[in-house]
């Protein structure tokens, strides 16, 4: 299994179905079936900047480890 925290810049993935991301992450658009693009990582690797539904958000890798994804073909 692959989490959002494991990805590098330029990766485009879809959030796996049936993933429970919690209330805060869900309110940011990180719900099952949503496509996410990793824009960049901070120099020390944390946080990550993501593009979700046309918006850019920054989240810590610790939070993103609970979001399981699958690669978009």
């Amino acid at each position: 299994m692959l989490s959002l925290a494991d990805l590098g810049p330029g990766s485009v993935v879809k959030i796996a179905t049936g993933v429970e991301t919690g209330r805060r992450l869900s309110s940011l658009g990180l719900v099952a079936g949503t496509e996410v693009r990793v824009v960049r990582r901070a120099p020390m690797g944390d946080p990550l900047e993501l593009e979700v539904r046309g918006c850019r958000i920054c989240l810590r890798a610790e939070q993103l480890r609970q979001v399981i994804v699958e690669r978009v073909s």
Side-chain angles (χ1 to χ4, degrees), residues 33-72:
T34 302
E35 194 170 289
V36 177
R37 183 172 71 92
V38 179
V39 177
R40 62 183 161 186
R41 283 182 171 270
M44 298 298 285
D46 197 23
L48 282 81
E49 182 179 352
L50 308 171
E51 186 172 322
V52 181
R53 299 179 186 212
C55 297
R56 291 195 176 181
I57 59 175
C58 290
L59 293 169
R60 295 178 60 195
E62 180 181 328
Q63 296 169 306
L64 297 176
R65 281 191 188 91
Q66 59 187 307
V67 182
I68 305 303
V69 296
E70 55 191 36
R71 294 207 183 263
V72 173

Side-chain angles (χ1 to χ4, degrees), residues 15 24-32 34-36 52-53 57:
I15 297 177
R24 181 173 187 279
L25 296 180
S26 295
S27 69
L28 293 172
L30 296 173
V31 294
T34 302
E35 194 170 289
V36 177
V52 181
R53 299 179 186 212
I57 59 175

Side-chain angles (χ1 to χ4, degrees), residues 10-27:
S11 300
V12 178
V13 295
K14 186 176 282 191
I15 297 177
T17 58
V19 174
E20 180 56 48
T21 59
R23 179 177 261 165
R24 181 173 187 279
L25 296 180
S26 295
S27 69

